Amino acid sequence: MELPLPEAAQGLILFDGVCNLCNTSVQFILLRDKKGYFAFAPLQSAVGQAVMAHHKLPTEALESVLLLENGRLYTHSTAALRIARRLTGLWPILYVGVIIPKILRDGLYHWIARNRYRWFGKQEACMMPRPEWKNRFLNA
């Protein structure tokens, strides 16, 4: 599946656009992705829905961040760790977490995902990116 990514972008992060935790995480990534490696789209967007359908994921399943990188789709803790390794600062150190068995990493990820709306809240609509970030969002 070929997507029109911004010039420098090599990975696409799909996130739950109404989740406050997810939106805060996207802003966190944007501030630490100085090279513009990542582009973004809400899972609820046409792009998000098309990527999920193409990879045979249920389009109503919004409980995971997805990372499309080099034609491969990563989910849950693996996506989060692969994102961290591209950020500036000490965040790439977190990638060492891939040595933890996926069942354990994803167990923690699922627990947070199940409680994210209760703990962090949700919005009525997907976030609108800041003007300086708008070109990093597909469907924005």
Side-chain angles (χ1 to χ4, degrees):
M1 166 175 233
E2 197 65 34
L3 292 170
L5 296 178
E7 189 175 318
Q10 297 178 41
L12 174 63
I13 296 173
L14 300 166
F15 63 98
D16 180 352
V18 299
C19 168
N20 287 339
L21 173 62
C22 303
N23 288 325
T24 300
S25 297
V26 165
Q27 292 173 36
F28 179 89
I29 294 164
L30 281 160
L31 290 170
R32 288 155 184 85
D33 177 22
K34 305 290 186 195
K35 295 179 182 175
Y37 184 88
F38 296 114
F40 302 86
L43 289 163
Q44 295 89 339
S45 70
V47 169
Q49 293 290 293
V51 169
M52 291 189 328
H54 179 78
H55 289 276
K56 298 177 180 27
L57 294 174
T59 55
E60 68 281 352
L62 306 176
E63 77 281 349
S64 177
V65 65
L66 303 177
L67 172 62
L68 185 61
E69 190 176 40
N70 301 318
R72 289 197 58 196
L73 189 69
Y74 301 94
T75 64
H76 306 96
S77 65
T78 303
L81 291 171
R82 290 185 69 87
I83 291 166
R85 78 181 185 150
R86 298 287 182 180
L87 303 179
T88 58
L90 296 176
W91 298 104
I93 292 171
L94 292 177
Y95 191 68
V96 75
V98 298
I99 64 172
I100 298 170
K102 186 170 173 37
I103 193 164
L104 296 176
R105 288 187 280 124
D106 282 353
L108 176 62
Y109 186 98
H110 290 300
W111 178 66
I112 294 169
R114 273 192 314 274
N115 292 292
R116 71 188 187 279
Y117 292 151
R118 186 164 30 108
W119 294 342
F120 302 99
K122 70 187 268 190
Q123 303 172 35
E124 292 297 316
C126 293
M127 77 172 224
M128 294 302 296
R130 288 193 220 168
E132 65 269 26
W133 291 337
K134 193 169 177 112
N135 67 331
R136 305 267 306 271
F137 286 78
L138 306 184
N139 285 358

